[in-house]
Amino acid sequence: MSVYDLFKPLTFLHGSPMRNRFMMAPLTSQQSDFDGTASKYDQFWMEQLAQSGYGLIQTSASTVEAGAIAFERQLGIHSDKHLPGLTKMATAIREGGALSAVQLHHAGHRAVPSLGGIPAPASSKTLKDIKAISTEEVERIRDSFIEAARRAQLAGFDGVSVHGAFGWILSEFLSPNLNDRTDKYGGNVENRARITIEVIEGIRKACGNDFQIGWRLSIERYGLRLEELREITAEIFDKELIDYLDLALWDSAQIVREGSFQGKTMLSVFTELPRKGVRLGAAGKIMSAQRAGELLDEGCDFVLIARAGILQRDFPLQVKANPMYDSPKLPVTADFLREGGLSERFIETMRGWQTFVKPGS
């Protein structure tokens, strides 16, 4: 395939097609107001992205409960007071011609008490002196995801992406290291995947057939087992429970180091699965037009742009204009990011990423 294939439309099982194969990854910019309301900085960022040629734009990780918070100034979708700001964001994205999704997030055991977070571990052994949440609390959190999806729909978003990566609550439940429960949400892999499946099925039931559901999955760390995740994904594909899978890889080219898939690319473990009408994309060091095009050859239906989109807001338009486009080399100065339209809050967040902002700039 050529780079030009990145500009072909992509249909989904539900809702409208994506106009091209570029999806803006969910980027936690920590520029919302302290109560989770979308700030003027959030709005300006979305307005920039809306004019940048993406096929679908995801918001940053948005809290489905007030106690689910993991980051200072995290976007929220747990209250109707968040609706006006979210509606404004959805409108800006739609007017720019892209599809939109809110990333639904609960921090689980990683919720931060100093920010008002209430840690919700699957196991009593994960955090010192904090007991595992009860079955009723698991069901409440499940319902909070579903209510947040209804809120996203009310705000005018085309869909949601369910955050099942990085050891946050759904990922935590999938991990045999972090989940030693003996109720219906623990034990075998089917039980550990139960909350994820119930969230996805509940959103479909609540939001209907025109609403899109994505699922973000990561494989590394937190005791996650590749073989198990592949099995769960195969079932989700077979039942066509989601519209798209977003594989959050540290590097989209990384190789499996151990186990039954040793030596294969992490990506191929999933692209080789029959996926019926479900679409699959990957994130991970996609910094050039060439790499984005290669991922279609490797079996992806779309690509998720993260760092490259922070460095150059209109990455898809750059690729369209220049099939040899490559991102600016990291690290960059804070002034470079300011000139590109990043707020001071967003720049401060990026200082926390290794080798992104030049020290002292």
Side-chain angles (χ1 to χ4, degrees):
M1 289 187 194
S2 75
V3 166
Y4 298 107
D5 289 305
L6 290 162
F7 295 92
K8 289 180 177 174
L10 183 66
T11 57
F12 293 106
L13 288 164
H14 304 89
S16 301
M18 205 158 78
R19 61 182 167 183
N20 59 40
R21 306 307 177 94
F22 292 97
M23 192 180 289
M24 170 47 76
L27 297 168
T28 295
S29 53
Q30 295 181 256
Q31 55 183 357
S32 304
D33 292 336
F34 283 113
D35 65 354
T37 303
S39 68
K40 63 181 181 181
Y41 306 107
D42 285 316
Q43 300 297 354
F44 183 54
W45 171 240
M46 278 299 151
E47 285 160 14
Q48 289 180 80
L49 292 179
Q51 302 303 319
S52 294
Y54 290 92
L56 190 152
I57 297 168
Q58 290 191 36
T59 69
S60 55
S62 305
T63 51
V64 300
E65 292 186 348
I69 191 165
F71 308 104
E72 190 172 72
R73 295 189 178 278
Q74 186 174 354
L75 188 64
I77 192 169
H78 58 265
S79 165
D80 287 349
K81 73 183 176 187
H82 299 133
L83 277 169
L86 291 165
T87 302
K88 196 173 174 186
M89 290 167 92
T91 302
I93 296 169
R94 185 169 55 252
E95 287 174 351
L99 299 179
S100 57
V102 177
Q103 190 190 46
L104 304 182
H105 175 259
H106 191 298
H109 79 281
R110 300 178 66 197
V112 180
S114 62
L115 301 175
I118 303 167
S123 299
S124 296
K125 65 178 185 182
T126 306
L127 297 173
K128 194 169 184 273
D129 300 328
I130 298 182
K131 285 187 175 175
I133 52 175
S134 66
T135 305
E136 292 72 26
E137 285 171 311
V138 177
E139 290 168 343
R140 186 204 73 226
I141 290 168
R142 173 201 65 198
D143 292 346
S144 294
F145 271 95
I146 296 164
E147 285 164 23
R150 279 288 295 130
R151 224 169 255 124
Q153 189 173 37
L154 281 172
F157 283 87
D158 295 291
V160 291
S161 176
V162 176
H163 202 335
F166 309 146
W168 307 123
I169 200 159
L170 300 182
S171 171
E172 173 180 350
F173 268 75
L174 284 169
S175 167
N177 284 22
L178 296 173
N179 181 352
D180 63 357
R181 305 177 71 85
T182 55
D183 65 0
K184 64 181 178 178
Y185 294 105
N188 63 27
V189 65
E190 183 184 348
N191 283 357
R192 284 182 275 120
R194 189 181 302 278
I195 183 174
T196 297
I197 304 289
E198 287 183 353
V199 163
I200 291 166
E201 289 182 335
I203 292 170
R204 175 61 62 219
K205 189 175 176 185
C207 296
N209 280 332
D210 290 333
F211 197 68
Q212 294 173 345
I213 303 173
W215 177 42
R216 177 159 250 216
L217 179 67
S218 64
I219 298 108
E220 298 105 326
R221 299 176 62 202
Y222 302 104
L224 294 166
R225 292 178 182 164
L226 178 58
E227 289 78 5
E228 288 185 346
L229 296 178
R230 187 178 193 264
E231 185 185 325
I232 295 155
T233 303
E235 181 186 345
I236 287 174
F237 284 166
D238 187 58
K239 293 182 177 174
E240 296 187 319
L241 297 183
I242 56 175
D243 290 281
Y244 57 90
L245 172 66
D246 153 7
L247 276 176
L249 303 174
W250 176 243
D251 183 341
S252 57
Q254 71 199 69
I255 304 296
V256 181
R257 293 185 187 150
E258 57 190 18
S260 51
F261 299 107
Q262 186 175 359
K264 292 171 73 80
T265 66
M266 196 78 82
L267 184 59
S268 71
V269 173
F270 293 87
T271 56
E272 288 171 1
L273 288 170
R275 53 186 188 257
K276 294 191 173 176
V278 180
R279 305 304 190 179
L280 184 154
K285 297 188 178 177
I286 305 167
M287 304 296 283
S288 67
Q290 181 185 346
R291 183 62 190 138
E294 284 170 359
L295 282 166
L296 298 190
D297 289 330
E298 291 173 28
C300 287
D301 297 301
F302 62 92
V303 294
L304 288 121
I305 304 304
R307 279 171 285 194
I310 298 171
L311 290 168
Q312 184 67 49
R313 234 66 66 242
D314 59 353
F315 182 83
L317 299 181
Q318 296 292 329
V319 172
K320 197 169 193 176
N322 174 15
M324 300 305 291
Y325 177 77
D326 199 358
S327 295
K329 291 288 171 272
L330 292 169
V332 294
T333 64
D335 278 343
F336 175 86
L337 297 173
R338 282 185 197 105
E339 286 159 18
L342 256 64
S343 72
E344 294 304 318
R345 291 178 187 178
F346 202 159
I347 291 168
E348 199 52 42
T349 299
M350 297 318 300
R351 289 186 200 279
W353 289 32
Q354 280 188 329
T355 68
F356 199 95
V357 183
K358 275 186 183 167
S361 70

